[in-house]
Amino acid sequence: MAKDLLHQWKVSESADLYGIKEWGAGYFDLNDKGEAVVRVRYPSGIVEVSLMDVVQGINARGLGSPVLLRIQNLLDMQITLINESFRKAMKTLEYKGEFRGVFPIKVNQQHEIINEIIQFGKQYHHGLEAGSKAELLVALAMIASTESPLICNGYKDAEFIDLGLQATQMGYKVFFVVEMPSELPLIIERSRATGIRPNIGVRLKIAAKGGGHWSDSGGDNSLFGLTATQIVDVVDALKAEQMLDCLKLVHYHLGSQIPNIRDIRVAVQETVRFYADLVEEGAAMGYIDLGGGLAVDYDGSRTNFVHSMNYNIGEYCLDVIEVVMQVLDDKGIEHPTVITESGRATVAYSTLLVFDVLEASRTETRDLPEKLPEDSQELLLNLEETLRIVNVKNLQECYNDAVYYREQVREHYKLGQITLRNRALAENYFLAIMKRVVTLKAKIKRMPAELENLESALFDVYYGNFSVFQSLPDSWAIDQVFPVIPLHKLNEEPTRKAIIADITCDSDGKLDRFADFHDVRRTIPIHDLDNLDEYYIGVFLVGAYQETLGDFHNLFGDTHVVSIRINEDGSFDFVAEQEGDTIADVVSIVHYDPKTLIRLFREKAELAVRQKRLTVSERRRVMDNYEAGMNGYTYFKR
Ligand SMILES: Cc1ncc(COP(=O)(O)O)c(C=O)c1O
């Protein structure tokens, strides 16, 4: 891996290695000092801030890592991008309707995020999507413009419907999207009881399916939505109640992170057919809601790979509008307001997780003896010989032998026939052979399959101060890949290869899938920790879904959250600061009373005094420690 000594590693080589220009979408890059930077656009030009300057600012405020860093400007810029791209596409294609974006609260429910979307999005009448009663209550309080749609998906009981109807009476644009046939009679009944006419939508169970992680949200087997037959029933029921003028919207959601633009076009086309037929049935209509699915290019490859997308937002908007027009213009139907429920694409960029590396465990061979004593155990002598003779011609054979001998050593150890020291020596010989095989295999033409990924078995383990389960749950649950890079030292060659383990002591608590242009790489190139006081890593594009789905595995709680706003003059302000959970917070979640725990422990300390195991002043120190721990951060403190 190390290049020749004369080669001076360049920042541009790090940029290529980590692909930051590709997945960074113009927001993230590296500066000449070898630090990761964030860039935001102002009318006067682009402003750049080093993420290490932000980290120093966080440390100076006494918060430390791990920390979730929000960059408010990026959220604003994505809202602008989505709205302006639709406006531009509509203008280019001479579309007569309008665009309205809505943010699905489930994607990131945090108050700060919803507030920013509503306040900044006001200029575009950006709305909200609620999928539960709790989300509806949030949306009703937060929504700021009567022009912004409030889309109600999910299960709706009478209380839910009454709240939505009352908001409609107050002038808000609330849409009840019927997802189950049973919902319609309740909406009709509550409308009759309150005398308020609802805006009704129907969620379609379309035949089209998207690729990506959530492809089951579309297609015949999707859990939600109405079939063609059930939609006909809705039309007939509304007709019978003289409420067909209330039916205004069709909606579908193909699933999140749709990587292929072709799937999006096919789904839009099918949906617009339904829309046209409902117009012809006499429904009022006027709105077509295309759900979420707009992807994020996590690996920067611009392909239809599951972590990528083979289109950009501009192309997405043009394709959607073009398909809507093709179907409706043929039939002479007026252009409706197009709504999208893009969650991931709106928030993913705005947040990154920053953590420090605590230590590294290297797969390094210790110094091996010049020569083993002749009376050494046979398996050890075999391993020594294998290391001595391995060459390009016998590579595969030596590899197989080494694997066999190591297995035998482990078997003998179990039976008590090999000492601990000899087992350690054997493991070191094995590692030395594998390293030699990796060096030599570069010289062979036809690579045996077994040897192809050998490097990835020789990785180091870097221990990061974070919990995958709390901060990056999708990486564990659905193998989601996020861009991961060191935030500094990028003017130096990263000479090691590693996976990153968290501190949950769970074997699944690790990052071992990293963004790459071709498929996924199993290790990350990383710097040697020798002579480094601190080493920070950033996991980028984590603003969507991660905060909501995180859990308290091993009682690691919410991390600190810090939000910054970058100013036009290149300075930045800390605009919000949320301290992470204390241990008292997380034990309370699992129904311990922190005060009771302190009392129980105090009783133990007092008993120890009586038993003369502790002096009174030692007891006091022990209790101070315990109580400080209870009120402290759940993560590792340096
Ligand atoms: C109904 C609905 N709309 C929108 C979304 C958001 O999708 P995305 O994050 O892909 O934009 C979801 C997410 O699952 C959803 O269920």
Side-chain angles (χ1 to χ4, degrees):
M1 176 111 153
K3 300 216 164 161
D4 64 76
L5 292 175
L6 294 175
H7 176 80
Q8 178 67 43
W9 184 260
K10 294 195 218 55
V11 172
S12 59
E13 288 173 271
S14 287
D16 288 346
L17 187 64
Y18 294 108
I20 192 167
K21 284 188 195 304
E22 284 73 24
W23 56 258
Y27 296 142
F28 300 107
D29 205 340
L30 307 183
N31 65 13
D32 293 344
K33 285 200 306 196
E35 294 172 345
V37 295
V38 51
R39 293 205 178 117
V40 300
R41 182 180 289 281
Y42 273 101
S44 55
I46 289 177
V47 176
E48 177 178 299
V49 165
S50 160
L51 290 170
M52 280 311 286
D53 289 347
V54 180
V55 170
Q56 302 310 346
I58 292 169
N59 288 343
R61 284 164 177 78
L63 281 179
S65 108
V67 62
L68 208 54
L69 172 61
R70 294 207 185 108
I71 301 155
Q72 284 189 347
N73 312 60
L74 299 190
L75 183 52
D76 298 350
M77 285 167 79
Q78 281 301 103
I79 294 172
T80 305
L81 183 64
I82 292 170
N83 282 283
E84 292 296 343
S85 301
F86 264 108
R87 282 188 179 176
K88 191 166 164 211
M90 287 178 165
K91 194 161 175 224
T92 308
L93 298 172
E94 296 181 21
Y95 188 81
K96 308 280 181 322
E98 288 187 293
F99 170 72
R100 292 282 182 270
V102 302
F103 181 74
I105 298 180
K106 74 190 76 157
V107 180
N108 192 323
Q109 299 127 332
Q110 299 293 320
H111 175 238
E112 188 201 331
I113 297 279
I114 301 297
N115 192 46
E116 185 63 23
I117 290 172
I118 288 299
Q119 292 311 322
F120 181 81
K122 222 186 320 184
Q123 58 190 307
Y124 298 113
H125 305 299
H126 212 87
L128 293 172
E129 184 259 1
S132 67
K133 211 186 314 182
E135 289 184 356
L136 176 67
L137 294 186
V138 167
L140 288 174
M142 297 297 294
I143 205 129
S145 151
T146 50
E147 281 302 304
S148 306
L150 200 172
I151 306 286
C152 301
N153 291 325
Y155 262 104
K156 303 170 218 19
D157 59 13
E159 200 176 48
F160 186 124
I161 295 166
D162 283 1
L163 277 166
L165 285 172
Q166 284 150 0
T168 309
Q169 190 180 18
M170 288 159 67
Y172 289 93
K173 257 199 178 63
V174 178
F175 292 88
F176 295 111
V177 177
V178 178
E179 307 214 23
M180 310 276 171
S182 60
E183 284 175 349
L184 188 66
L186 196 54
I187 295 172
I188 293 174
E189 186 224 300
R190 297 315 305 158
S191 165
R192 248 196 254 131
T194 56
I196 305 165
R197 290 182 84 73
N199 299 312
I200 297 177
V202 279
R203 177 161 177 170
L204 309 174
K205 196 177 257 202
I206 55 173
K209 272 182 104 163
H213 284 308
W214 290 270
S215 53
D216 284 348
S217 300
D220 285 340
N221 294 331
S222 63
L223 297 181
F224 310 104
L226 306 181
T227 61
T229 316
Q230 290 164 336
I231 285 171
V232 172
D233 292 343
V234 167
V235 171
D236 290 345
L238 288 174
K239 239 184 218 163
E241 294 289 332
Q242 266 117 54
M243 285 178 73
L244 208 47
D245 60 314
C246 296
L247 182 55
K248 296 188 179 157
L249 174 146
V250 286
H251 162 66
Y252 77 93
H253 173 65
L254 200 54
S256 197
Q257 183 68 15
I258 308 293
N260 196 339
I261 189 75
R262 199 161 1 111
D263 294 334
I264 292 170
R265 282 186 74 105
V266 169
V268 176
Q269 192 176 23
E270 190 179 344
T271 304
V272 188
R273 290 258 162 241
F274 276 99
Y275 180 90
D277 285 337
L278 288 171
V279 170
E280 282 167 6
E281 286 280 342
M285 304 314 287
Y287 297 87
I288 184 161
D289 173 356
L290 306 175
L294 176 58
V296 165
D297 198 355
Y298 291 97
D299 66 11
S301 66
R302 275 212 85 186
T303 60
N304 63 359
F305 186 47
V306 65
H307 306 299
S308 184
M309 58 201 281
N310 64 3
Y311 56 95
N312 61 30
I313 292 189
E315 287 157 1
Y316 170 85
C317 298
L318 277 169
D319 275 31
V320 162
I321 298 303
E322 189 182 74
V323 175
V324 173
M325 288 174 75
Q326 264 167 13
V327 178
L328 297 186
D329 287 353
D330 259 7
K331 292 175 173 277
I333 293 174
E334 245 176 70
H335 295 163
T337 297
V338 170
I339 296 174
T340 64
E341 301 179 358
S342 293
R344 182 184 297 275
T346 309
V347 277
Y349 288 98
S350 62
T351 308
L352 66 143
L353 174 74
V354 176
F355 62 84
D356 55 319
V357 173
L358 299 172
E359 60 177 325
S361 132
R362 287 184 172 188
T363 49
E364 209 117 71
T365 45
R366 300 287 175 84
D367 284 343
L368 291 166
E370 287 271 301
K371 179 124 189 63
L372 285 176
E374 267 163 32
D375 60 351
S376 300
Q377 277 170 304
E378 197 182 336
L379 283 168
L380 279 175
L381 291 169
N382 289 345
L383 281 163
E384 183 198 43
E385 188 189 359
T386 309
L387 177 61
R388 201 162 6 90
I389 63 167
V390 60
N391 63 45
V392 174
K393 291 199 182 113
N394 63 14
L395 205 59
Q396 168 99 60
E397 185 189 337
C398 285
Y399 168 81
N400 291 340
D401 285 352
V403 171
Y404 172 76
Y405 296 141
R406 186 184 58 164
E407 285 315 306
Q408 287 294 302
V409 166
R410 290 179 173 180
E411 279 305 309
H412 281 53
Y413 183 72
K414 267 193 271 175
L415 299 171
Q417 294 162 350
I418 242 178
T419 64
L420 174 64
R421 283 183 184 277
N422 275 344
R423 177 171 168 171
L425 191 55
E427 304 273 354
N428 273 304
Y429 270 114
F430 177 78
L431 209 53
I433 296 165
M434 291 303 121
K435 292 206 162 181
R436 196 93 188 90
V437 170
V438 166
T439 316
L440 290 170
K441 81 178 188 154
K443 298 184 186 155
I444 57 176
K445 282 204 187 90
R446 219 176 283 151
M447 179 82 61
E450 287 161 296
L451 304 188
E452 250 168 37
N453 290 319
L454 197 54
E455 288 89 342
S456 62
L458 298 176
F459 53 73
D460 296 344
V461 181
Y462 277 50
Y463 294 90
N465 191 10
F466 73 110
S467 156
V468 163
F469 308 95
Q470 177 59 254
S471 297
L472 305 167
D474 277 351
S475 137
W476 163 65
I478 54 165
D479 287 338
Q480 168 75 51
V481 162
F482 296 102
V484 181
I485 64 162
L487 295 183
H488 50 155
K489 309 281 166 213
L490 293 153
N491 50 358
E492 294 169 27
E493 183 179 4
T495 52
R496 313 290 310 173
K497 281 188 174 173
I499 64 161
I500 299 173
D502 70 8
I503 54 170
T504 61
C505 69
D506 185 308
S507 55
D508 282 339
K510 62 182 180 217
L511 296 175
D512 62 353
R513 296 166 55 81
F514 301 93
D516 194 14
F517 298 144
H518 312 287
D519 212 342
V520 167
R521 63 176 122 167
R522 306 311 296 247
T523 57
I524 179 177
I526 204 158
H527 297 92
D528 202 322
L529 287 188
D530 283 356
N531 309 320
L532 286 183
D533 286 342
E534 47 175 24
Y535 190 58
Y536 288 97
I537 293 200
V539 184
F540 290 72
L541 279 48
V542 300
Y545 300 101
Q546 304 315 292
E547 270 182 90
T548 306
L549 297 174
D551 73 18
F552 291 87
H553 197 34
N554 279 107
L555 293 184
F556 285 106
D558 279 350
T559 63
H560 302 313
V561 183
V562 165
S563 299
I564 59 161
R565 179 165 283 281
I566 298 170
N567 304 313
E568 201 161 359
D569 62 2
S571 63
F572 57 90
D573 296 323
F574 285 83
V575 288
E577 213 176 283
Q578 237 169 270
E579 265 188 58
D581 287 328
T582 61
I583 291 179
D585 293 331
V586 296
V587 295
S588 305
I589 289 167
V590 285
H591 306 295
Y592 293 94
D593 172 25
K595 281 198 184 132
T596 309
L597 292 180
I598 291 171
R599 179 179 55 75
L600 289 172
F601 190 67
R602 191 182 301 120
E603 283 166 15
K604 291 196 169 75
E606 191 53 39
L607 181 65
V609 171
R610 257 180 265 140
Q611 293 169 334
K612 308 228 177 307
R613 291 171 193 273
L614 290 183
T615 64
V616 174
S617 62
E618 280 169 340
R619 182 203 111 132
R620 186 173 168 176
R621 267 206 305 282
V622 167
M623 283 316 297
D624 284 350
N625 257 348
Y626 189 88
E627 290 183 37
M630 189 62 87
N631 295 317
Y633 203 18
T634 57
Y635 293 90
F636 188 89
K637 277 193 255 177
R638 281 184 185 274

